Amino acid sequence: MLKRTLIPLLLLLITFGITKAQDRTISVDVNKVKGNLNTFFNECVGAGRANEGLRADWQRQLRMTKEQLGFRYIRMHGILHDDMGVYFEDSNGKPIYNWQYIDELYDFLISIKVRPFVEFGFMPKALASKPTTLSFWFWKPNVSPPKDYQKWDDLIAALVRHWTERYGEAEVTQWYFEVWNEPNLKNIFWAGDQDEYFKLYKETANAVKSVSPAYRVGGPATAGNAWIPEFINYCTTNKVPIDFVSTHTYGNDAFIQKSDDEATVESKRRDAVSGDVKRSRMQIDKSSMPGLELQYTEWNSSSSFNDHVHDHYRQAAYILEKIKRVGNAANSFSYWTFTDIFEEDGPRQTPFDGDFGLINYQDIKKSAFYAYRYLNLLDKQELQNADSSSWICKDTKGNVQVLLYDFTDKFFPTRADSKAFYSKVIPPASKGKVNLVYQNLSPGKYTITVYKTGFGFNDPYTSYLLLGAPSQLTKQQAELIKEKDNDIPIMTKTVIVTAKKPFRQSFELNENDIMLVAIKKL
């Protein structure tokens, strides 16, 4: 019964939202090669805290994410937090190290070919100089500087040596070591000032390099693209090792506090996120170390962990829009996060609670998941393309994929929060037809397969809303959503291509649709 009622409702809503729009044409010339596709978009992905990585459901979802989205690194908080059991002191103040939880987690990562992007933090309680902690649910990480920098240095060096012995220097040379998280948010993520962070960075970087000069270390891991010129200048002036710059950006301009419920105001800047990345790249280029890598180790549309924009179908188009606009400015662009198993604010209370993840607790893949899936399905040779909202790629056999999207902002009134705005069904308007014109395809028989994500397609959040937004999903409801939103192609057909004229194919496009069109020679 549920399945029969969903489809007519969706069709009615789509019809209601259609308005006239101008057609769009994308020209595909298989002989005009641009170069290798830049795959910075799935270099790294984020996760909450390290201890969550010991859970079976977290590991199951990361394995699925690796297989389907291709992420090569993962970054998470709290590798040194007390719930990982890393650091203790005996009655005489002598350090005691314990690597067992870390080994269990990192062994799993290496087994599925996902490398750690190590974030050193937070401070073990026995090594903390102050009782300052974050208000993160029950785990409340300590964010103070170490009480004894020599003990901190020894801990870092011992841990890096352990990783070297366990995995080999050749492997660990491929890792990244990042010092702390968002130290510019004083008394939130860091109880010191900028000078104190720079000291922490110097001590940590030297400790890492004492194990192997080849190991890569960087920072300042700031929120809001901050401290980049100052950080580079400090490292240059004081001859401190630095291999990369890292920072974070989100697409909201402000926060609104409603009792205990945090919401955000979405940025109205068209270059939100992507413009930040480009400006950071320019700061590096103008510095004394222009060759430094730029690693964006967190990004998303909203920095709130209960904002329904993360669940919404528009998020898929938002992801592609920002990745497209970043271009070659960043070496990695780490989406925060791959899963809703994320407990900074405690466990999620509803199946779609506005958390950051690409996947919810029930293994339901959100629309955002498919943006990364389609990117990962692109072949590695990119073709020239005059269309600003698409990628065109081909393989060595001449099979071609076009990943296209429409990104349309549905801005809400000033100071209205995005959680409330995206808590309802939002039908899209039509954007007319998109016409694909293929030139220089070799004659023969081809199959065309088309995948779509948008309103009503790989759109589990809308399916959930149409079910009445239950506080908990029954097993039947969860399976219904998975069955409906399972990325079945919207079209598969065989066509004949001749040498006499270009091959054409047209599709209807709605606001914030994304489509992957694959043409393969038989």
Side-chain angles (χ1 to χ4, degrees):
M1 181 64 180
L2 289 169
K3 184 176 180 180
R4 289 198 298 271
T5 58
L6 275 177
I7 304 301
L9 277 168
L10 289 171
L11 292 174
L12 176 64
L13 288 165
I14 289 175
T15 301
F16 180 79
I18 289 178
T19 58
K20 290 185 178 180
Q22 188 174 359
D23 290 354
R24 169 178 160 196
T25 297
I26 300 175
S27 180
V28 181
D29 189 332
V30 299
N31 290 338
K32 293 185 177 179
V33 176
K34 177 182 178 181
N36 292 330
L37 177 68
N38 184 349
T39 58
F40 75 100
F41 50 79
N42 64 0
E43 181 75 1
C44 186
V45 73
R49 77 183 196 278
N51 189 266
E52 292 160 358
L54 300 174
R55 293 172 49 161
D57 52 355
W58 188 99
Q59 293 189 5
R60 180 182 68 246
Q61 289 193 1
L62 183 61
R63 186 186 299 274
M64 177 175 66
T65 300
K66 170 63 178 179
E67 290 171 352
Q68 298 190 32
L69 309 187
F71 290 109
R72 295 176 287 281
Y73 290 84
I74 190 166
R75 173 187 178 268
M76 63 197 81
H77 300 323
I79 197 69
L80 301 179
H81 182 58
D82 289 313
D83 65 4
M84 292 299 286
V86 173
Y87 182 88
F88 308 90
E89 292 184 1
D90 66 16
S91 58
N92 296 317
K94 182 181 178 180
I96 301 170
Y97 304 143
N98 171 41
W99 316 128
Q100 294 179 86
Y101 282 13
I102 292 179
D103 288 349
E104 185 69 23
L105 174 58
Y106 277 26
D107 284 357
F108 169 72
L109 296 182
I110 297 300
S111 76
I112 64 168
K113 295 182 171 54
V114 174
R115 289 185 166 118
F117 199 118
V118 180
E119 175 203 305
F120 285 123
F122 292 100
M123 194 59 61
K125 185 184 299 183
L127 192 51
S129 59
K130 302 176 184 177
T132 308
T133 61
L134 276 166
S135 59
F136 284 172
W137 192 38
F138 80 88
W139 63 291
K140 301 186 185 311
N142 187 286
V143 295
S144 69
K147 65 182 181 182
D148 184 324
Y149 270 98
Q150 187 58 57
K151 288 183 176 180
W152 170 264
D153 295 350
D154 292 344
L155 169 63
I156 298 301
L159 181 53
V160 175
R161 277 196 303 271
H162 171 73
W163 283 328
T164 304
E165 292 164 359
R166 191 172 186 87
Y167 306 111
E169 184 171 352
E171 169 61 30
V172 181
T173 301
Q174 304 301 312
W175 299 7
Y176 290 89
F177 295 98
E178 182 183 41
V179 181
W180 214 251
N181 177 71
E182 299 188 346
N184 59 315
L185 300 185
K186 189 174 181 180
N187 295 324
I188 298 177
F189 278 108
W190 180 238
D193 56 15
Q194 185 185 82
D195 288 342
E196 189 74 36
Y197 170 75
F198 287 168
K199 179 179 180 181
L200 179 79
Y201 177 82
K202 178 185 71 173
E203 298 289 334
T204 309
N206 285 330
V208 171
K209 295 288 188 178
S210 72
V211 181
S212 173
Y215 291 169
R216 297 180 289 193
V217 63
T222 42
N225 320 284
W227 291 7
I228 292 174
E230 300 94 322
F231 178 66
I232 297 173
N233 182 63
Y234 171 82
C235 291
T236 302
T237 302
N238 296 278
K239 295 181 172 54
V240 177
I242 174 176
D243 298 296
F244 63 88
V245 167
S246 64
T247 189
H248 307 156
T249 187
Y250 288 84
N252 51 272
D253 283 340
F255 288 92
I256 303 173
Q257 197 71 31
K258 295 182 176 181
S259 64
D260 293 328
D261 195 20
E262 183 183 74
T264 59
V265 178
E266 186 177 354
S267 175
K268 293 178 171 59
R269 294 182 292 115
R270 184 74 182 194
D271 73 339
V273 176
S274 55
D276 296 335
V277 179
K278 291 178 178 178
R279 282 185 286 274
S280 295
R281 182 70 259 172
M282 288 179 61
Q283 288 178 331
I284 296 173
D285 291 343
K286 292 179 179 179
S287 76
S288 58
M289 304 182 74
L292 287 172
E293 293 183 1
L294 175 58
Q295 311 286 350
Y296 263 80
T297 50
E298 288 184 28
W299 87 276
N300 206 310
S301 54
S302 167
S303 57
S304 172
F305 37 61
N306 59 359
D307 193 329
H308 285 305
V309 69
H310 301 133
D311 303 324
H312 202 268
Y313 70 87
R314 193 203 75 150
Q315 184 77 351
Y318 186 96
I319 288 168
L320 295 187
E321 167 75 4
K322 300 311 175 185
I323 288 173
K324 184 70 175 178
R325 299 292 169 255
V326 167
N328 296 320
N331 296 85
S332 69
F333 198 43
S334 184
Y335 190 81
W336 189 258
T337 58
F338 84 91
T339 177
D340 278 357
I341 302 169
F342 177 89
E343 297 176 342
E344 286 186 3
D345 194 39
R348 300 299 87 200
Q349 299 173 16
T350 63
F352 291 92
D353 210 35
D355 214 335
F356 297 109
L358 299 169
I359 311 167
N360 85 340
Y361 273 29
Q362 290 82 21
D363 291 350
I364 296 173
K365 303 166 186 173
K366 300 182 189 179
S367 297
F369 182 96
Y370 294 99
Y372 282 103
R373 175 161 170 75
Y374 296 169
L375 283 166
N376 192 48
L377 288 173
L378 293 175
D379 283 310
K380 303 312 177 189
Q381 195 170 53
E382 188 174 5
L383 301 181
Q384 294 179 24
N385 181 14
D387 182 79
S388 62
S389 299
S390 62
W391 288 263
I392 308 172
C393 295
K394 73 170 185 176
D395 65 12
T396 55
K397 298 178 181 178
N399 301 317
V400 179
Q401 309 91 40
V402 179
L403 174 54
L404 64 98
Y405 67 92
D406 171 78
F407 176 62
T408 299
D409 279 319
K410 293 256 185 200
F411 287 127
F412 35 85
T414 302
R415 301 301 295 175
D417 69 83
S418 59
K419 179 179 182 179
F421 183 82
Y422 290 108
S423 294
K424 57 185 179 295
V425 175
I426 305 177
S430 171
K431 298 303 290 280
K433 289 185 181 295
V434 57
N435 305 304
L436 303 185
V437 181
Y438 294 85
Q439 300 181 59
N440 296 314
L441 282 174
S442 60
K445 183 182 292 186
Y446 290 80
T447 58
I448 294 182
T449 307
V450 183
Y451 300 88
K452 180 177 179 178
T453 294
F455 182 76
F457 297 87
N458 294 324
D459 182 13
Y461 180 58
T462 296
S463 296
Y464 166 75
L465 293 176
L466 292 172
L467 287 170
S471 61
Q472 300 292 302
L473 289 174
T474 66
K475 185 176 181 180
Q476 179 191 18
Q477 288 171 328
E479 291 305 315
L480 169 65
I481 293 174
K482 290 179 185 178
E483 180 183 352
K484 180 189 173 299
D485 299 298
N486 64 355
D487 207 29
I488 293 176
I490 64 168
M491 186 184 81
T492 301
K493 71 176 185 179
T494 302
V495 298
I496 303 298
V497 174
T498 67
K500 295 181 179 180
K501 58 182 180 180
F503 173 73
R504 299 173 182 270
Q505 184 71 54
S506 297
F507 307 94
E508 296 290 341
L509 191 70
N510 291 322
E511 291 176 331
N512 295 305
D513 278 351
I514 69 174
M515 301 178 74
L516 177 66
V517 183
I519 183 165
K520 183 176 182 180
K521 192 169 185 180
L522 296 176

